[in-house]
C-alpha cells in the first residue's frame, strides 16, 4: 500500500480577450492620440490581484497600467494612451499581462494579445477664412495694418484740441 498526498489549488487564469482602438477602427491618423483598450478576463477559479499591464507598439513600450482585482469570470478593461507615429504605415499593438510572472496561474501562455493597425495621413482641408484670405500675402496684410495705424494717428492730430494759450 502507498500513501499519496493530493494538493488541489484554485488558481486564477487571466488572459487578454481582445485589443481594440477606442473608436473601434482598424486604422488611425498619424500624429493623433488614441486610446488602446484591452479587455482582460479571469477564467480561473481564484481572484487575480495587482495585475501589471504593458502596452507595446511594434515591441516598444508606450504605456503601463495596473488592474487591482479580477474575480473569477470577471471581465475588466485597461486603457493605454498612444501617440500614433508619423513615420510608419502599419503598427502591431500588443498588450502583455503579468510580464514579471508575479501571479501564479494555471496557464501562463495566454498573457498577451496583438492587433495590427494601419496608419493613414491626415487629410488637409481648408476652412472658409483660409480660402477668403488665400489671395493676400503676409506683406500685404502687414502693409495694410501699418496704413491703418498711420491713418488713426493722423486723425488724432487733425481732430485734437488746439494747445492751451495764456490770456493776457
Amino acid at each position: 500500500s502507498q500513501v499519496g498526498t493530493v494538493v488541489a489549488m484554485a488558481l486564477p487564469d487571466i488572459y487578454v480577450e481582445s485589443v481594440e482602438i477606442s473608436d473601434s477602427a482598424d486604422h488611425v491618423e498619424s500624429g493623433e492620440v488614441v486610446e488602446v483598450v484591452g479587455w482582460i478576463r479571469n477564467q480561473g477559479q481564484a481572484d487575480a490581484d495587482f495585475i501589471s499591464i504593458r502596452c507595446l507598439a511594434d515591441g516598444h513600450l508606450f504605456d503601463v497600467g495596473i488592474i487591482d482585482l479580477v474575480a473569477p469570470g470577471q471581465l475588466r478593461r485597461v486603457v493605454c494612451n498612444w501617440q500614433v507615429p508619423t513615420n510608419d504605415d502599419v503598427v502591431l499593438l500588443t498588450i502583455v499581462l503579468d510580464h514579471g510572472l508575479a501571479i501564479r496561474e494555471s496557464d501562463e501562455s495566454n498573457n498577451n494579445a496583438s492587433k495590427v493597425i494601419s496608419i493613414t495621413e491626415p487629410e488637409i482641408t481648408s476652412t472658409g477664412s483660409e480660402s477668403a484670405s488665400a489671395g493676400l500675402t503676409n506683406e500685404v496684410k502687414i502693409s495694410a495694418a501699418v496704413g491703418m495705424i498711420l491713418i488713426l494717428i493722423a486723425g488724432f492730430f487733425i481732430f485734437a484740441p488746439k494747445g492751451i494759450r495764456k490770456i493776457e
Side-chain angles (χ1 to χ4, degrees):
S1 76
Q2 291 185 349
V3 175
T5 303
V6 176
V7 177
M9 295 176 58
L11 295 174
D13 185 17
I14 53 173
Y15 69 99
V16 182
E17 192 167 282
S18 68
V19 178
E20 302 171 355
I21 299 295
S22 58
D23 60 358
S24 300
D26 287 333
H27 68 281
V28 292
E29 289 186 357
S30 63
E32 68 181 348
V33 176
V34 296
E35 290 182 342
V36 178
V37 179
W39 292 96
I40 315 303
R41 186 176 296 276
N42 182 358
Q43 67 182 6
Q45 300 298 317
D47 291 344
D49 51 355
F50 298 110
I51 304 166
S52 64
I53 293 112
R54 298 179 69 184
C55 299
L56 308 165
D58 285 339
H60 300 288
L61 181 70
F62 67 86
D63 203 356
V64 294
I66 293 178
I67 294 179
D68 56 352
L69 177 72
V70 182
Q74 186 179 20
L75 181 67
R76 295 286 304 266
R77 176 179 182 236
V78 65
V79 177
C80 298
N81 293 318
W82 176 48
Q83 172 79 42
V84 180
T86 57
N87 58 355
D88 210 346
D89 294 335
V90 176
V91 174
L92 178 67
L93 295 177
T94 305
I95 293 184
V96 180
L97 303 176
D98 191 28
H99 177 70
L101 301 175
I103 300 171
R104 188 172 175 194
E105 298 179 65
S106 57
D107 184 8
E108 295 284 353
S109 65
N110 59 357
N111 286 355
N112 59 22
S114 300
K115 181 174 186 169
V116 176
I117 301 294
S118 64
I119 299 173
T120 60
E121 291 296 321
E123 294 181 20
I124 300 174
T125 59
S126 63
T127 61
S129 63
E130 290 174 343
S131 61
S133 65
L136 300 177
T137 63
N138 285 337
E139 291 83 14
V140 172
K141 292 177 187 176
I142 292 172
S143 299
V146 169
M148 291 299 291
I149 292 172
L150 290 176
I151 289 172
L152 286 174
I153 292 173
F156 175 73
F157 282 114
I158 290 173
F159 295 109
K162 301 294 179 205
I164 301 174
R165 286 188 245 162
K166 185 177 181 184
I167 301 177
E168 290 183 33

